[in-house]
Amino acid sequence: MLRALHRGERLQDTGSQTAATGKTVVVADEHAIFVLGMVSSLRVLPQVVVTGQTTRHTVLLELVEQQQPDVVITGYTLQVEGSTHPGHAPIADIGRLSPSTRIIVITSQPSDALHRRILRAGAHLVQDKTCPINTLIRGVIDTLKGGAPAAAHNQRPVIVGTGTLSTCEQQVLRLYLSGMNVTAIATLLQRSKKTISAQKISAMKKLGVSSNQELVLLATTFPPPEWPEAGGR
């Protein structure tokens, strides 16, 4: 797969989802590893269908023209065929080929001037490649909703910290993210399902997530679950 990405071949998502069940997204970046990591992270979102991925400037434009995707996520630089130097993301060309497509540009250059220039070129959101993957995905979610912030420093990250969570809420969330459902957690902790559900919902609100799919994105942030003894509170 990495070899194919470096050649610039179009890689279609072969999962069970189809464009009819979610918003279509095309991912492009000069670094194949970043592309594959972003695609893997997007697959946990049921409202997203990755329909193409590439490292190449020309292939990105072909995908945009053919698919008219809802969102394009592209690095600021892409490989240009026949050139030893990467070219800038073809923001204006994407807008021309697919006017309704929303564009997210990922850059490793933390420059406010550059970010403003990218936004003026037609991008809907600029994000820093060094920010946590949770924040990148939050940007995708907000963009799909049509409410993406205008600049990177205004982004609302998925994680706002666990300091505001009670001990019980943290415990429930860790167990849920480890793969247990509400019923299993209630049995383990000897609490009612209603109590566990309420604590989970409360924790999600404090963390700024609105669905179980968004909550899954927090899994790598929480430490491994601390299995309490039966009857622990």
Side-chain angles (χ1 to χ4, degrees), residues 135-211:
T135 303
L136 294 177
I137 300 302
R138 176 84 251 177
V140 176
I141 293 170
D142 287 344
T143 300
L144 287 170
K145 294 177 181 178
H153 62 270
N154 288 329
Q155 292 168 15
R156 179 172 65 89
V158 172
I159 301 207
V160 295
T162 60
T164 59
L165 300 184
S166 70
T167 300
C168 289
E169 289 169 344
Q170 291 189 45
Q171 185 181 43
V172 168
L173 217 53
R174 288 192 183 102
L175 292 173
Y176 182 81
L177 290 172
S178 75
M180 298 180 67
N181 60 27
V182 170
T183 301
I185 296 171
T187 300
L188 178 67
L189 301 182
Q190 296 185 358
R191 303 175 194 159
S192 69
K193 289 174 57 177
K194 183 177 180 180
T195 296
I196 297 299
S197 179
Q199 289 170 340
K200 173 175 170 286
I201 292 172
S202 174
M204 289 173 64
K205 288 181 178 179
K206 290 179 181 180
L207 292 173
V209 297
S210 57
S211 69

Side-chain angles (χ1 to χ4, degrees), residues 45-222:
L45 302 175
Q47 68 266 46
V48 170
V49 181
V50 178
T51 57
Q53 55 200 78
T54 184
T55 62
R56 301 283 182 175
H57 187 282
T58 301
V59 175
L60 171 59
L61 294 181
E62 291 176 357
L63 289 168
V64 169
E65 184 174 21
Q66 293 171 9
Q67 298 181 5
Q68 304 289 298
D70 294 298
V71 172
V72 165
I73 303 171
T74 178
Y76 182 59
T77 56
L78 292 171
Q79 297 174 17
V80 178
E81 290 74 0
S83 174
T84 58
H85 301 288
H88 292 165
I91 302 170
D93 289 333
I94 294 172
R96 175 178 55 81
L97 293 170
S98 182
S100 63
T101 294
R102 299 181 69 82
I103 305 168
I104 299 175
V105 177
I106 312 295
T107 175
S108 58
Q109 304 176 43
S111 164
D112 288 341
L114 174 62
H115 288 192
R116 287 193 294 269
R117 188 160 68 248
I118 293 172
L119 291 169
R120 286 197 299 269
H124 297 83
L125 174 66
V126 182
Q127 290 189 297
D128 190 335
K129 187 177 284 188
T130 62
C131 71
I133 189 65
N134 300 356
T135 303
L136 294 177
I137 300 302
R138 176 84 251 177
V140 176
I141 293 170
D142 287 344
T143 300
L144 287 170
K145 294 177 181 178
H153 62 270
N154 288 329
Q155 292 168 15
R156 179 172 65 89
V158 172
I159 301 207
V160 295
T162 60
T164 59
L165 300 184
S166 70
T167 300
C168 289
E169 289 169 344
Q170 291 189 45
Q171 185 181 43
V172 168
L173 217 53
R174 288 192 183 102
L175 292 173
Y176 182 81
L177 290 172
S178 75
M180 298 180 67
N181 60 27
V182 170
T183 301
I185 296 171
T187 300
L188 178 67
L189 301 182
Q190 296 185 358
R191 303 175 194 159
S192 69
K193 289 174 57 177
K194 183 177 180 180
T195 296
I196 297 299
S197 179
Q199 289 170 340
K200 173 175 170 286
I201 292 172
S202 174
M204 289 173 64
K205 288 181 178 179
K206 290 179 181 180
L207 292 173
V209 297
S210 57
S211 69
N212 289 334
Q213 288 72 35
E214 290 182 31
L215 184 58
V216 170
L217 297 176
L218 301 177
T220 57
T221 301
F222 283 88

